[in-house]
Structures are given as structure tokens and as C-alpha cells.
């Protein structure tokens, strides 16, 4: 076991994959000589050569489409979208080709590629540098969508993503790149579809992934002071979704708050809430609540702390799991009164 | 770093040479005119070599079969046997000519309009039509045939072509990828990115634009103000050519050159073939809304098959007997196709879940079970 | 009142808007001379000239970006994406500019534009011609997302979309283009954010929009035979969302099924289910269930009837609103047993 | 319809003339060399007119102020007053020269790197830096200033430029739009679509590429194989030019020409200005990872300000006194900026909800209320 930042863990995973499998190639904008703006690919070109890690022209649709073609020649490309929002130019390639290729060719064309997205905010980035776009991909059949919250998971999930026969959208929470943790290297791929119970508790289940996991854990600590014993489930993979772990937890605790940094409306949090109430309805003592980023464009750095779902907002939600039909409309009603 | 020089900016001979090497001929390369006569000097500045007699006879044969296949396919839409068919009648010199220049292990990236190119690759015509029949998204194995699934999202396939070409080259293979695209689709951003990637990675790709003058209803004049689409190549450092796309000999000559050049490590090449779509965009389209009958009539006089046949006859390479033979072959091809298409195979609904992922996710296992239950219930009702 | 198809109602709305407001311009692929592949813009160029309705080069990002620029010169562009999936190349323009422009310029730059998407399936289209992408846009703050289910609504909502000061993603259910209904012309804009109760009932609420509304209505008819009195709510606008109408209905009926044609996972149906249980938890006698398109790429024509959420699938869901914690996992468990 | 002609494909004089009219000079247009001497014949084939003395003196003054502003802004990042700053030191001839050719009612579409262009438009420097300070996404009113918000998603702004230019032209105004873009961003699909739209609609747009040789760490050689980026214009039928981007006189001359041409209804024009980014991509970047110090030193000898100043002195248009004056003005500008940036204004969190829509939706009213409650609770705690 070594102590690594998440950035280092990802770098190590890429190194181990490149070493073990000749077909793995890494490319994208500034990933070669520079080692990526977040240094996730640091030293790969130096150590493995341009053949294994190289810079491309500045065109995201091109990068993803090129990866599709390289898969057809038997490679396993790992490409980087420099920031989450800069993956949008590749949206057509991702949705109309990457996601559908296996299906439209009856399994003949496989795309074992990984698209890495540094995503979410909390690092003081100016506009377009802090989007959370996992919902777009999670809604698209044919993509696996993964987001680690610890260095160890980052390593294991990225190894699995590269080995996986299907295309994987790999969402890396920027704000956690410098968070440290113990990692076994060289280590094993971490199978998809297995949520982790990060902390056990009996009163309420917080469900989170990626950047929201540390928030949920902090909220759980704080909640203890208020007398709530909080369980925290880290999804790790959004698709495939681990209903078993989630439902088992919520059936036990009877209460649930979903925490996501992305916009709430029609986001992954909505899916989780919908699934949980479908599966655990009779165990629920309160509605499943969601705490998410606001439904506004990600704000300028000075206001991002207001945007981000922080510990207080999570605690407020936990407090509102008590226990009649009114709380959720209270705001709306008062606000409308105020606005009228 | 040109800015470094204190030049007086008279024409730099190197730059001028480079520029000339990238630009297309100012007029499309034409070997054989509409009457079937060999055009003297039509080889253009690059001196494209005339294809072999064997290649030309085979190209002509494939065009005859391709035309018959195309007409048959349009007929099949009327009989409700195909969901839709985008005809390429009139574009046979392009579709056949381009493919004839390739080896079976070269890659082809076709669009929805390139069914004739597919059968020229000897892909089973029923497999070719699977998409358009509505049975499945693709009827053949793209990896086995080195032929991508016919592509609908315009221009997107060209980047795949660049990627596979680069990948194959890295593996030390000398295969080439040829990507088809229409005139309209050259306006898409992916066209630009594909040419640029291919150039930067020196990937062995031939970009073959079938400029059939329309993107559905939109004429070329609303699509671009370029002197011709072939002038797009220089912006990527990609040599380009324009060719009379109804002259199969010229198409073959230019594609032969481009393919060989790519195969030898020379990198990508852009070809614009001037041709014309004689039928509507698809059987569902009404072309009278946007073009005059005269225009079509005019292009009929430049028919690619008649032209090559006239030249082959003048050279004694085909005669009445051979024409009859090939016509009969085409007829048999069409009849066999029609018969096979009359069968309306059931598609197993459970196959829906087979190839979303290598292994279905738990969510899909659940949905598959739901559908299975529904189907069982339906069957019960029917019994 | 005149009887019009939805296609004719949309065409009439465009005509009336062009007539009344000199700043309205219509453009896109094949919308001019041809009148659009679905003939929604039929005759506009002929009757109002190229100035008011014109063809563009074939490039969706260009079309949307051009519309952004024209808004800056004071126009109100109405652009068409020829088919739903062919809007993906414009995704960056839509998400990073159209949705965010007012916000990023503190209100200085307004984009009163409409992006029309013929969407969803049921018309035997080959691949890429039947996508439902409303969830991508609904998840994006700054966009209003609208989908009519009747000719009258198509007229009124499109008029509102054109008059609206904000960008509107206007989703037109292809399968209903030829459905007929009574329309008042010239008529009034139909305000956004007001769901319609299409049919009253006391036992269960079906919530739908666009192409799923006729399905829900048919299911309601069929349900009557089984003894259920079904209410059908047509959202009409996804954002803004009409919580009042929805919650009022579900609080009364106590049961709810959300019907959407799009893929279910992290779709609009998930949002509706999540909202309903948040707001109506103590009124609910059963979990909110979702009936949606399968989480697979939209299939080839021969299998689309299996893909599409039809009357039977809705009725099955209604039947499953009874009434213990098990039904939703039954499938999963059995299926897993079967798969193992 | 070239395919119609039975030509023998010797060079068509019309096509050749058209092609020549679209291609850039083989070497960048240069009026003044690195030592400040006027280059004979540097006007290139199009005979660009030398800008007026008045324009040149003012350009020089703006460059001096711009440089000082730029250096000050980089310093502000070190003091934590700016979240990030992408310097354009070394590119002043481009940013100032291009803007100086415009009228205030012409439109500018800047990128994140074009802050110096903005202050040259007399946009308040604090408003210019609002984005990079992290207070808001844009500090000025784009409509009032006819200057779009600085654009981060690469190349996307050029299509907006085409749209507004077309829109203004339709309203009968003779305004022109100038869109800035970097060398790297020309690889994006939107660059292609923007040029094509502008050409097809004959929109009065000047596309101004600041080829500063790098896209972050990626050198031009990995970005394109074109003879120069200016060769991209012909593929759209857009006339193009390449210019020494460190020669303000040449930049002005070429942009003056392009703007006037567009204003007169001549349509779009593409300019590639060869320049160099002396600093790192932003203060957060480490340029030593991807380029040699020598390269930077070399470019320092081609400084755009020194060059124009030398020429102006040689012409007697500025003297020591004037230089001192302008230096002092630049210093005062920087001091005022620093002082104003030392204030760290509070941003009202409730403003988050103000401009998502014209009127907040009920969902947003609800969320606004939630945030207001949170803030009230926080304040209560603090009291
Ligand atoms: C990205 C995208 N946008 C729009 C369409 C709809 N569409 C299908 S074919 C076509 C016209 C294509 O014209 P062209 O490229 O000239 O090819 P042709 O059909 O003439 O062979 C259009 C607009 C599409 N398939 N993909
Ligand atoms: C669509 C998109 N992709 C990636 C980025 C990230 N990015 C910001 S600046 C930059 C390099 C741009 O290089 P160039 O166009 O040469 O402009 P320069 O920074 O040199 O002025 C990159 C890759 C972005 N902003 N937008
Ligand atoms: Mg065409
Ligand atoms: Mg650059």
C-alpha cells in the first residue's frame, strides 16, 4: 500500500494498463508532452513513447471519433476531454456512435474505450470549467458511467474501465484530484456495479458518488452531533447501478437523501430517488429527498460555495425527513407568497 | 517560422511548389467524355495512369449489376419490402469506381447512399439492405468485411476512417481506408476534424466526396462558395483532386493513385467527384419540389454506364454478347434479390437486449425479463 | 375553430408569428424550398420570401450558433434540427451558449430563439431517426423544454415559444404530426408551466407528455374496463414544471405512473417520479412507477413496437400499484435466478 | 457545372484567377521588419494600403498601455486578485491592430486571451477582468459595447460572429464583425462551420487567427499540416491573408482592407497573424515543460512594440517626450487598475437566480427561497 493522491492513482493505473496491455493507447489535448493540465498523464509519453501516449489536434469530436476508429483496429484507447464541458463538441460521436456501436453492429464492433472527464467544480474555475455532465451520459444506453471518490477506487475503477469490453465514461472529480489515500499498486481492477458502504449507520442513508461522497461523509459526522446515525453509500458506478446495496441500506434505515453536485432536475439524483422509492416504498418513513447543485448555470468562482451542495444543505435535508407531507412545499408556498 | 525571415515576399518557390502540389486541377479530371471518347490530356497535371483494361471491364460489369440492384431496391420500397431506400442511380461510376481501386482488406466507410458500393464489395445484397428493410441496424459484419456499418449521422464516419487507418498503419499493415461522403455533409464540423486528424497523423485515408449537387433539397450553391469542394484539401495540407464522377475511368484512375499513394505512406488524399443523383433523395422525397425535370434530363445524357460501355466497345473490350451476358447476370441478381426479400423474416424481440453491452447490466436483465413476460402474456392471449 | 393536423398547426403558428413580428426568421436544413422533410415550414419561403425562411448549409452547430448571433442583432430565430438525433452536433452550442447566455451576461444578451426538434419514434424510421433527447435539455438550466400532444397545444405552445424571451427547446412528437384536432386560428400563445388534466379520474394519475399522452389516454380507456378510474395529466412543458397540477392530482388519487417514451434511466420520468414522491409522499398508497422506453438504443423499425411503452405496459404498471414492497424487485430476482 | 464541359483541362483562366484571389501571399505580409525598417514590397500581391500616421501612433500608444495592463494582470494573479490570467504579452500588435481597424459599432468576438483587445475597445479594465477575477462570467454589457462575452469554448464564438454580422446586414447596417481565434482552435469543427456560414451568407466577418504557435502545450506542427492556416480560406471561397502578427503596421493594413471589403459587401475574410505567446498559457501553466527558453528569447527580438516605436521614431512621429508621456500614461493605467482591484467586492449570492430566465421558474423560486433561508441561518449563527 502506498499513499497517493487521486491524480497519482489515476496516473499509476494508466501506467500499469499500458505496461500490461500493448493495445492500450492514451491520447487527447495536451496529454503528451505536458502530461495533461491536471497531470494525470504525467510522464507517460516520456516513459512509454509517443506510440502509447500522444497529443492530438484540438478537436473533441475528432478525438472520440478517432478512438472509435482505433478500436476497429483492435486498440483500447483512453482519451481525455480536458474539462467536462469541453466534451460537448463530441456529444454526437459519443451518443450516436460510441454508445450504439455494439448494438448497431450486432456485437461485431466492440468499442473498449475509455473517455476520461475531469468534472464538477469546487476548484475556483471560471465558467465552463466546472460542469457536471454525468447525467447526459447516464441517460444514454450503451455507456457505462463511473465516478470514483477515493484514490484506491480511482485506480481500480480505471483499470476496470480499460479492461472493460464496453465504452466507459470515466468521470473524475477535479476537486478530489489532490485528495490522498492508500492504494495497492499494482492492483486489481475493481468490478463495476458494486456500491460501497463508506460508513454504516441506522437512521438514514445518504447516497452519493464522486465529489459528493466526502460531503456526505462530513455531513454524517456532523449529523452524529445532532443525534442521527447516518449511513453513507458511494455508488462508484452510475451504470451499472447497484440496486442491491442501495435498497438493502434504505430498507434498513427507512430514510434516504441523495446527494449530487450536478444540477438536480432530471439528473442522476432523480434516478436514484425514483429507484429507491420504487424499491423501498414500504420501508420509507419519509420521502427520498435530493440535495444537488442548483438548477442554474455553474456560477463564477466567488459564488460556487453557494451553488455547491454542502454539509449544511445535506443536514437540512436530513432534518426534513421528519415526517409529514408539508415540508417540501413549504418553501414553494412561502416563496410564492413573497414573490407575488 | 516564416515570420522570422526578413523576406520581401516575392513568391517563395518552395511554398508555391507545395501549394501547387496540394491544389486540384482547375477542371475535373476526365478520361472519357459523355460520348465515350477518350479525352486527350484529361489525366490532368498529375498524369494519373489509365486503369487496366481488366479493371475497366470489371468496373463496367459491376456498374451494370449495381444499377440493376439500385432500381430493384427502389421497386422494393413500393412493394413495402424496404422501409426506405436512398437511390444512387447515376452515381455508379463513383461507388463502383472507388471500391474497385481497393483491396478486400482495405476499409470502406459508407453512408446510407452507398449500397451499390457495398454490393461491389461482394457484401450479400440482403445483408446490405438489412438496415433499410428495418430488420436491424446493420446486416453484415463490419470487422470481417472491413466495411463500417452504413452511416447516417453525416460526416461522423470519416473520423472513424482516419482512426482505423492510423491504427492499421501502427500495426504495420499497408491497408487503406476510403470514406464516402456527400457534398452537403462536407459542411459538418466532423468533415473538417477528420481531414485534419488524417493529415496530422499522416493516416492512409482517401476521402471520396460524391458531389451529387444536392443535400436533399439544398443545392451546392447554398452549401459552399468554394471554387470546388476539392479546394478544401489544401487547408489541411491534403492533396486533392476533382474528377468527373460520371467517368468511371477517371474515377478509377484518381482513386488508384490516391490509394497507392496512401498505401505507400503518402498520407491522406481528398477527391471530389462531380456526379448527379438521378432519383429523389429517397423514395420518400419529392424532388420536383426543388429541381427542374430538364436538369435531370440533361444529366441522363452523361450516364456513366453508357459512357464506359461506349469506350469499351470502341476498344473492342466488350461486344453485344458480353453486354447481353452482363445484362442477364444483373437481371438474375435482381430476381434473386427480389425473391429473397419477399420472405419477411421474424426478428426476435429478445435480441433487443443482446448487444447493448457485452454482458447485460442488472437493469437490462430486469427489462429483458419484463419484455419476456409481456411476450409470454401476449402469446397466451393469442392461444 | 378549424380541424388541423399537428403539422398544419405548427405551420400555421409559424405563419402567424412571421406575420405579426418582423423579427421572426425561420431557418435550417431543407426548411426553405422543400418546406422541411416533415413539411412543417411548407410554403413559408414561397409566401414570405427567403428573408423570412431560408435554407442553411448542412451543419447543426452552425445553425444554432448562427441563431445565437442573429439574436444579438435583435432577431427571433426559429431553427429546425431535421431529426432529434441530428441535434447532437449542436450540443455544445446549446449547452454552453444558448442555455447560459443570459446568465453569463447578467441579462444583457437575451436569446429569444426556438430550436424545433421532431422527436421520438413510432414512424418506422431507421436508426438515428427516432431518438428522444428531451432529458438532455431538461437537465440543462436555462432552457425551457416543451412538448405538445395536440394540434391546439402545438399551435399555442409554439406561439409562446417564439414570443418567449428565453430559448426554448421545442420537441415535436413525429408520430403525432398527422394527428388531427380542433385549433383556433389565429390563436393565442399558450402560457408555459401549465399542465393539462386531459382526463379526470379518481384512482390513479398517469403523467405523460408529447407522444406518450395518447398512449396514456388509451390506457385510461382500457383501465376503465378493469375497473380503474384513471386521471391523465399532460405536462405540456417539462421546464417550467407544473408541480401544482401534478401534486394536486396525485394527492387526490394516491397513485401515480409516469409514462415517457424516452429511455427511463435518468430521464424526465425519473424527475417526475422523484418530485411526486417528494411532494405527495403521505398521500401515496404505492410507489410512483415509471413506464418508459427500454434502456437500449432505439431499435430497428421491426422491433419498435416492443421498445415503445404501449398501453399494455402502462396497464401492467397500474396493476402493480398494488401494494406491497415486493413487485419491483420480483423481476430482477427472477431474472437473476434465470440468468445465473 | 464544370463536369458538363468537354474541356481538355488546361488551366481555366477564370478558375485560376479566382483561386489566386482567394489564396494568401506565400509569405506573411510584412510592412516593418524586426528592426523597425519599412520592408519594400511587403504589401504583398493585394497592395494593402499603409495605415495613416494617426492610426499608427494611436496603435502604438494602445499597445504600450495594453502591454502594461497585461503585465499588471499577471501580477494580480500572484497577489490572488485574479483567479487566472491568460497573458497575451507579445501579441499586442494583433489585439490592438485588429481592434484599431474597427468602428465602435462594429462587433468583436474575443476569446479568454483577448483582454488587451477589450481595453483597446475602451472597455473598463475592471469590467474586462471580472471574468478572470471570478466575480461573474462577464463584467461588461456585450450589446452596449458590441463586444461578446469573452469566449472559452473554443471556436464557438465565430459562428455567433457570422450570425450577428448577417443579422446586422439584413437590418441595412454596415457594421462588421471581427472574431478572434487561436491557432489551436482552428482545428475545431465550429471554425469550419463558421467560415462556411459566413461565406454562404456573404456575411461581413473578419476571422482573425492569432497563430501564437501553441495551443497550451501543443505546437502548431501537431495541429495542422497546412502550408499555413491562411490556406484554409479557399476551401470556403473566402479570401485569406497571412501577416506578420508582430508587425502592427501590417496587421492594421490587412485588417483595414478586410474590414472595408466586408463593409462594402464583399463578404468574409480570413487573416492568419503569425505571432508568439511570450508567457505561459496562463499563470497556472508551466511553459518550460514544452518549449525551450531559446525560442522565447528569439521571439523577444521581434517585439511588436519596439518595432513600431522604432519606425515611428524614424519617421519623426514620436520622440522621447512622447514615449515618456505614454509610458507614464500606461503606468497610471496600471496603478489605477491595481488600486481598484485591491477592493474585493462582495457578490450577492441571491444574484445567482437573477438571470437564468427572464422570470424565474417556480423551481427556481423554490431554490432561491432555500438559499435565502440558508444565508439567513448562517447570518444568525454569526451574530
Ligand atoms: C448530422 C446529420 N444531420 C442531418 C441529417 C439528415 N440528412 C440525411 S441525408 C441529408 C442530406 C445529405 O446530403 P449529402 O451530404 O449531399 O449526401 P447525399 O444524400 O446527397 O448523398 C440530411 C440533411 C443527418 N443524417 N445527419
Ligand atoms: C472546446 C474546448 N476544448 C478545449 C478547451 C481547453 N482549452 C482552453 S485554451 C486551449 C488551447 C487553445 O489554443 P489556441 O486556440 O491556440 O489559443 P491560445 O490559447 O494559444 O490563444 C484549450 C485546449 C476549451 N476551452 N474549449
Ligand atoms: Mg449530395
Ligand atoms: Mg495558440
Amino acid at each position: 500500500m502506498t499513499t497517493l493522491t487521486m491524480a497519482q492513482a489515476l496516473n499509476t493505473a494508466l501506467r500499469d494498463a499500458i505496461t500490461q496491455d500493448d493495445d492500450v493507447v492514451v491520447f487527447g489535448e495536451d496529454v503528451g508532452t505536458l502530461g495533461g493540465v491536471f497531470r494525470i498523464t504525467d510522464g507517460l509519453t516520456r516513459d512509454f513513447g509517443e506510440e502509447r501516449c500522444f497529443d492530438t489536434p484540438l478537436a473533441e469530436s475528432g478525438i472520440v471519433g478517432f478512438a472509435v476508429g482505433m478500436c476497429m483496429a483492435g486498440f483500447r484507447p483512453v482519451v481525455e476531454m480536458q474539462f467536462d464541458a469541453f466534451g460537448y463538441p463530441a456529444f454526437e460521436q459519443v451518443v450516436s456512435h460510441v454508445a450504439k456501436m455494439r448494438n448497431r453492429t450486432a456485437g461485431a464492433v466492440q468499442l473498449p474505450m475509455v473517455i476520461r472527464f475531469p468534472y464538477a467544480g469546487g476548484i475556483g474555475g471560471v465558467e465552463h470549467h466546472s460542469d457536471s455532465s454525468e447525467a447526459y451520459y447516464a441517460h444514454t444506453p450503451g455507456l457505462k458511467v463511473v465516478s470514483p471518490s477515493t484514490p484506491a477506487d480511482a485506480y481500480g475503477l480505471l483499470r476496470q474501465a480499460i479492461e472493460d469490453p464496453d465504452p466507459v465514461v470515466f468521470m473524475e472529480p477535479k476537486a478530489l484530484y489532490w485528495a490522498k489515500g492508500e492504494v495497492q499498486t499494482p492492483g486489481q481492477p475493481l468490478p463495476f456495479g458494486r456500491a460501497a458502504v463508506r460508513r454504516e449507520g441506522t437512521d438514514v442513508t445518504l447516497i452519493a458518488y464522486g465529489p459528493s461522497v466526502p460531503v456526505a461523509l462530513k455531513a454524517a459526522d456532523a449529523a452524529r452531533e445532532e443525534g442521527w446515525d447516518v449511513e453513507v453509500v458511494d455508488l462508484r458506478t452510475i451504470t451499472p447501478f447497484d440496486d442491491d446495496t442501495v435498497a438493502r441500506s434504505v430498507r434498513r434505515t427507512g430514510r434516504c437523501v441523495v446527494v449530487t453536485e450536478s444540477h438536480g432536475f432530471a439528473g442522476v439524483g432523480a434516478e436514484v430517488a425514483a429507484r429507491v422509492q420504487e424499491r423501498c416504498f414500504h420501508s420509507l418513513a419519509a420521502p427520498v429527498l435530493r440535495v444537488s447543485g442548483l438548477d442554474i448555470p455553474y456560477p463564477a468562482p466567488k459564488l460556487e460555495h453557494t451553488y455547491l451542495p454542502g454539509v449544511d444543505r445535506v443536514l437540512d435535508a436530513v432534518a426534513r425527513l421528519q415526517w409529514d407531507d408539508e415540508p417540501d412545499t413549504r418553501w414553494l408556498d412561502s416563496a410564492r407568497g413573497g414573490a407575488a | 517560422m516564416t515570420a522570422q525571415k526578413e523576406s520581401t515576399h516575392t513568391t517563395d518557390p518552395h511554398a508555391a511548389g507545395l501549394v501547387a502540389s496540394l491544389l486540384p486541377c482547375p477542371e475535373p479530371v476526365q478520361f472519357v467524355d459523355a460520348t465515350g471518347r477518350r479525352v486527350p490530356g484529361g489525366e490532368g497535371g498529375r498524369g494519373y495512369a489509365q486503369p487496366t483494361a481488366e479493371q475497366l471491364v470489371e468496373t463496367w460489369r459491376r456498374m451494370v449489376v449495381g444499377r440493376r440492384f439500385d432500381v430493384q431496391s427502389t421497386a422494393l420500397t413500393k412493394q413495402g419490402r424496404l422501409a426506405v431506400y436512398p437511390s444512387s442511380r447515376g452515381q455508379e461510376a463513383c461507388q463502383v469506381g472507388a471500391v474497385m481501386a481497393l483491396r478486400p482488406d482495405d476499409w470502406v466507410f459508407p453512408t446510407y447512399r452507398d449500397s451499390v458500393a457495398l454490393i461491389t464489395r461482394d457484401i450479400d445484397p440482403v445483408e446490405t439492405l438489412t438496415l433499410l428493410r428495418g430488420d436491424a441496424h446493420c446486416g453484415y459484419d463490419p470487422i470481417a468485411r472491413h466495411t463500417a456499418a452504413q452511416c447516417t449521422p453525416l460526416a461522423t464516419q470519416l473520423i472513424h476512417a482516419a482512426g482505423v487507418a492510423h491504427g492499421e498503419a501502427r500495426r504495420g499493415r499497408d491497408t487503406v481506408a476510403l470514406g464516402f461522403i456527400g457534398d452537403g455533409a462536407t459542411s459538418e464540423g466532423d468533415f473538417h476534424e477528420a481531414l485534419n486528424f488524417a493529415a496530422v497523423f499522416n493516416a492512409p485515408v482517401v476521402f471520396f466526396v460524391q458531389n451529387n449537387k444536392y443535400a436533399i433539397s439544398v443545392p451546392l450553391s447554398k452549401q459552399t462558395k468554394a471554387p470546388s469542394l476539392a479546394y478544401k484539401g489544401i487547408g489541411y495540407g491534403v492533396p486533392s483532386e476533382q474528377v468527373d464522377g460520371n467517368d468511371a475511368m477517371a474515377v478509377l484512375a484518381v482513386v488508384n493513385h490516391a490509394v497507392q499513394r496512401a498505401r505507400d505512406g503518402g498520407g491522406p488524399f481528398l477527391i471530389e467527384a462531380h456526379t448527379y443523383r438521378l432519383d429523389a433523395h429517397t423514395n420518400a422525397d419529392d424532388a420536383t419540389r426543388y429541381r427542374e425535370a430538364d436538369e435531370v434530363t440533361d444529366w441522363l445524357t452523361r450516364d456513366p454506364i453508357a459512357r464506359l460501355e461506349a469506350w469499351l466497345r470502341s476498344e473492342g473490350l466488350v461486344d453485344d454478347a458480353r453486354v447481353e451476358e452482363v445484362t442477364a447476370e444483373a437481371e438474375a441478381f435482381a430476381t434473386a434479390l427480389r425473391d429473397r426479400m419477399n420472405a419477411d423474416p421474424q426478428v426476435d424481440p429478445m435480441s433487443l437486449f443482446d448487444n447493448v453491452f457485452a454482458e447485460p447490466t442488472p437493469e437490462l436483465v430486469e427489462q429483458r425479463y419484463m419484455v419476456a413476460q409481456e411476450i409470454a402474456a401476449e402469446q397466451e392471449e393469442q392461444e
Side-chain angles (χ1 to χ4, degrees), chain A, chain B:
Chain A
M1 292 288 235
T2 337
T3 305
L4 297 179
T5 63
M6 185 184 285
Q8 289 166 332
L10 292 165
N11 183 273
T12 308
L14 290 172
R15 286 173 179 275
D16 291 353
I18 288 173
T19 308
Q20 285 180 27
D21 184 343
D22 287 346
D23 292 331
V24 172
V25 285
V26 174
F27 55 93
E29 295 158 9
D30 302 291
V31 299
T33 313
L34 184 66
V37 296
F38 291 107
R39 305 290 186 266
I40 306 303
T41 58
D42 195 23
L44 297 185
T45 301
R46 185 193 58 221
D47 298 340
F48 300 100
E50 283 266 343
E51 287 283 298
R52 310 303 299 279
C53 176
F54 54 95
D55 291 323
T56 65
L58 210 173
E60 293 78 9
S61 185
I63 292 168
V64 172
F66 203 70
V68 168
M70 287 197 72
C71 287
M72 295 176 82
F75 289 91
R76 302 181 96 83
V78 183
V79 302
E80 176 176 298
M81 301 284 102
Q82 196 161 84
F83 284 82
D84 183 277
F86 306 143
Y88 302 146
F91 201 67
E92 180 184 37
Q93 285 288 348
V94 174
V95 174
S96 292
H97 285 298
V98 176
K100 295 188 168 82
M101 191 65 84
R102 178 188 291 279
N103 186 256
R104 53 196 289 264
T105 62
V109 182
Q110 312 207 2
L111 300 180
M113 60 192 271
V114 181
I115 311 179
R116 295 180 36 248
F117 290 84
Y119 87 117
I123 61 160
V126 297
E127 57 169 357
H128 308 291
H129 286 80
S130 300
D131 278 23
S132 289
S133 57
E134 68 273 23
Y136 300 133
Y137 304 111
H139 182 58
T140 306
L143 301 174
K144 292 179 178 168
V145 183
V146 175
S147 186
S149 75
T150 69
D153 278 13
Y155 179 91
L157 291 170
L158 185 52
R159 290 299 306 276
Q160 175 59 34
I162 296 171
E163 287 194 6
D164 205 89
D166 291 303
V168 176
V169 168
F170 197 87
M171 311 292 302
E172 302 171 1
K174 288 182 210 85
L176 301 183
Y177 270 150
W178 304 279
K180 288 188 178 154
E182 295 292 293
V183 184
Q184 177 75 49
T185 60
Q188 291 306 309
L190 188 60
F192 288 169
R194 305 211 189 143
V197 178
R198 292 286 174 210
R199 178 196 169 112
E200 300 196 346
T202 52
D203 294 340
V204 50
T205 303
L206 298 183
I207 302 175
Y209 57 85
S212 300
V213 172
V215 176
L217 286 169
K218 267 186 228 131
D221 280 342
R224 162 133 308 190
E225 288 168 30
E226 316 250 340
W228 291 305
D229 185 14
V230 175
E231 179 145 316
V232 175
V233 175
D234 177 355
L235 291 178
R236 299 207 280 207
T237 66
I238 297 169
T239 31
F241 192 91
D242 183 357
D243 281 309
D244 290 347
T245 302
V246 167
R248 204 178 311 120
S249 173
V250 178
R251 288 197 187 132
R252 200 158 36 71
T253 61
R255 291 187 175 85
C256 177
V257 175
V258 190
V259 188
T260 60
E261 180 175 322
S262 76
H263 311 303
F265 198 90
V268 171
E271 177 62 35
V272 178
R275 293 182 95 75
V276 167
Q277 63 87 35
E278 278 162 10
R279 283 161 175 74
C280 312
F281 185 74
H282 292 286
S283 313
L284 283 171
V288 181
L289 295 186
R290 292 177 286 166
V291 174
S292 67
L294 306 169
D295 286 308
I296 62 173
Y298 196 95
K302 281 213 182 134
L303 292 181
E304 69 178 345
H305 63 280
T306 308
Y307 173 89
L308 290 169
V311 169
D312 286 346
R313 205 168 285 164
V314 176
L315 289 177
D316 279 354
V318 170
R320 285 188 294 116
L321 293 172
Q322 337 291 328
W323 316 72
D324 67 349
D325 208 2
E326 292 314 302
D328 280 89
T329 55
R330 182 188 56 184
W331 286 343
L332 183 55
D333 298 343
S334 326
R336 279 192 184 162
Chain B
M1 299 214 187
T2 41
Q4 220 163 331
K5 302 198 199 112
E6 299 300 312
S7 116
T8 52
H9 313 301
T10 48
T11 303
D12 171 333
H14 169 70
L18 175 62
V19 167
S21 77
L22 297 172
L23 289 173
C25 291
E27 291 285 308
V29 172
Q30 192 190 52
F31 277 59
V32 177
D33 71 16
T35 66
R37 265 172 323 178
R38 189 72 167 75
V39 178
E43 296 83 347
R46 287 198 183 86
Y48 301 101
Q50 178 167 321
T52 62
E54 198 192 335
Q55 236 191 345
L56 291 166
V57 172
E58 180 63 2
T59 297
W60 164 77
R61 185 183 73 83
R62 298 271 189 177
M63 285 165 70
V64 172
V65 175
R67 166 77 54 94
R68 190 62 192 83
F69 163 84
D70 188 85
V71 171
Q72 184 61 57
S73 298
T74 295
L76 284 167
T77 63
K78 297 194 179 110
Q79 294 147 26
R81 289 291 175 210
L82 285 180
V84 62
Y85 184 72
S87 166
S88 62
R89 195 164 63 91
Q91 303 181 209
E92 293 86 355
C94 295
Q95 306 217 349
V96 177
V99 166
M100 285 301 296
L102 301 174
R103 295 193 320 223
D105 64 335
D106 288 330
W107 281 87
V108 171
F109 285 77
T111 76
Y112 50 90
R113 195 173 303 289
D114 303 314
S115 296
V116 168
L118 296 190
I119 65 157
T120 306
R121 290 220 106 191
D122 288 331
I123 291 176
D124 182 307
V126 172
E127 290 182 10
T128 297
L129 292 175
T130 298
L131 166 74
L132 302 166
R133 186 190 214 175
D135 291 353
H137 299 313
C138 178
Y140 50 91
D141 179 334
I143 301 290
R145 309 309 303 253
H146 275 211
T147 307
Q150 281 181 283
C151 188
T152 297
L154 296 166
T156 56
Q157 75 279 8
L158 297 188
I159 309 186
H160 309 164
V164 82
H166 176 65
E168 295 271 21
R170 284 173 63 132
R171 297 214 183 272
R173 298 183 198 130
D174 71 346
T175 46
V176 168
L178 183 138
F180 283 107
I181 184 168
D183 48 316
T186 64
S187 295
E188 291 279 7
D190 275 11
F191 172 81
H192 174 76
E193 300 189 14
L195 267 112
N196 195 40
F197 268 69
V200 165
F201 292 103
N202 198 42
V205 192
V206 177
F207 297 99
F208 191 92
V209 182
Q210 291 179 77
N211 175 359
N212 65 6
K213 305 295 179 289
Y214 288 91
I216 308 185
S217 71
V218 179
L220 190 66
S221 59
K222 288 188 182 173
Q223 203 66 247
T224 182
K225 295 295 175 203
S228 103
L229 295 171
Y231 284 88
K232 290 183 182 288
I234 188 171
Y236 311 96
V238 172
S240 314
E241 193 53 273
Q242 49 178 333
V243 58
D244 180 340
N246 282 19
D247 172 5
M249 195 190 293
V251 170
L252 248 175
V254 174
V255 183
N256 276 341
H257 168 84
V259 167
Q260 194 55 50
R261 190 178 170 281
R263 205 183 299 293
D264 294 344
F269 197 96
L270 171 66
I271 298 168
E272 177 191 21
H274 296 272
T275 183
Y276 193 78
R277 189 194 75 208
L278 292 171
D279 286 336
H281 174 69
T282 69
N283 54 297
D285 176 40
D286 173 8
T288 65
R289 281 186 163 243
Y290 53 81
R291 68 185 189 187
E292 304 290 334
D294 279 4
E295 190 181 281
V296 182
T297 320
D298 188 39
W299 275 93
L300 281 171
T301 65
R302 279 171 271 166
D303 188 85
I305 302 180
R307 183 186 310 200
L308 183 55
E309 191 175 306
W311 182 81
L312 290 171
R313 278 178 186 272
S314 73
E315 295 286 309
L317 291 165
V318 309
D319 55 13
D320 284 350
R322 183 77 183 114
V323 169
E324 237 171 75
E325 205 175 283
V326 169
T327 310
E329 181 195 341
E331 210 47 54
F333 189 94
T335 310
L337 173 61
R338 196 180 51 226
D339 290 349
R340 290 174 64 203
M341 294 294 285
N342 276 338
D344 194 7
Q346 285 306 304
V347 186
D348 176 12
M350 298 317 291
S351 69
L352 283 174
F353 299 95
D354 286 349
N355 290 298
V356 182
F357 297 106
E359 295 289 331
T361 58
E363 297 93 312
L364 286 178
V365 171
E366 193 173 336
Q367 294 181 20
R368 185 170 65 184
Y369 187 75
M370 175 187 77
V371 170
Q373 296 287 91
E374 288 176 358
I375 291 169
E378 254 173 59
Q379 279 168 347
E380 232 165 75
E381 259 174 52
Q382 280 164 13
E383 274 156 24

